[in-house]
Amino acid sequence: MWYMICSEDVENSLPMRKQARPAHLARLQQLQDEGRLLTAGPMPAIDSDDPGEAGFTGSLVVAQFDSLEDAQAWAKADPYIDAGVYKGSVIKPFKKVF
């Protein structure tokens, strides 16, 4: 089943994001390589594709997992968690219609 993982950043997360980004992207690439990633990306803090120093307010991942528990475990292991980027995440089943 598809699950959405919507994570919210702490204030001033950009330096921490930059440091942990390679490991974060490697995990997403693995999902992509396995054909389990529908979409993923950050949410800019301002109305711009490149928010510069304004940074980001969070991230969205929509991917396939065997269960809600598996999606939760995957989200908890995100390098952005260890780096202190995220202050919390909402993980819910997602039904792809289009």
Side-chain angles (χ1 to χ4, degrees), residues 15-34:
M16 296 175 286
R17 268 183 171 270
K18 287 179 179 179
Q19 186 173 3
R21 189 168 192 259
H24 172 78
L25 292 180
R27 293 179 80 237
L28 292 169
Q29 186 63 55
Q30 182 179 358
L31 288 177
Q32 178 72 22
D33 293 348
E34 294 169 357

Side-chain angles (χ1 to χ4, degrees), residues 26-70:
R27 293 179 80 237
L28 292 169
Q29 186 63 55
Q30 182 179 358
L31 288 177
Q32 178 72 22
D33 293 348
E34 294 169 357
R36 298 172 45 209
L37 184 65
L38 180 63
T39 193
M43 295 176 274
I46 60 173
D47 192 10
S48 172
D49 283 340
D50 182 5
E53 290 304 309
F56 300 91
T57 61
S59 301
L60 175 67
V61 174
V62 179
Q64 285 182 324
F65 295 95
D66 290 334
S67 66
L68 178 59
E69 293 78 17
D70 287 348

Side-chain angles (χ1 to χ4, degrees), residues 74-95:
W74 187 90
K76 282 184 179 180
D78 194 305
Y80 280 175
I81 297 285
D82 290 338
V85 173
Y86 294 151
K87 65 178 168 183
S89 298
V90 173
I91 303 155
K92 294 184 178 185
F94 177 82
K95 182 177 178 184

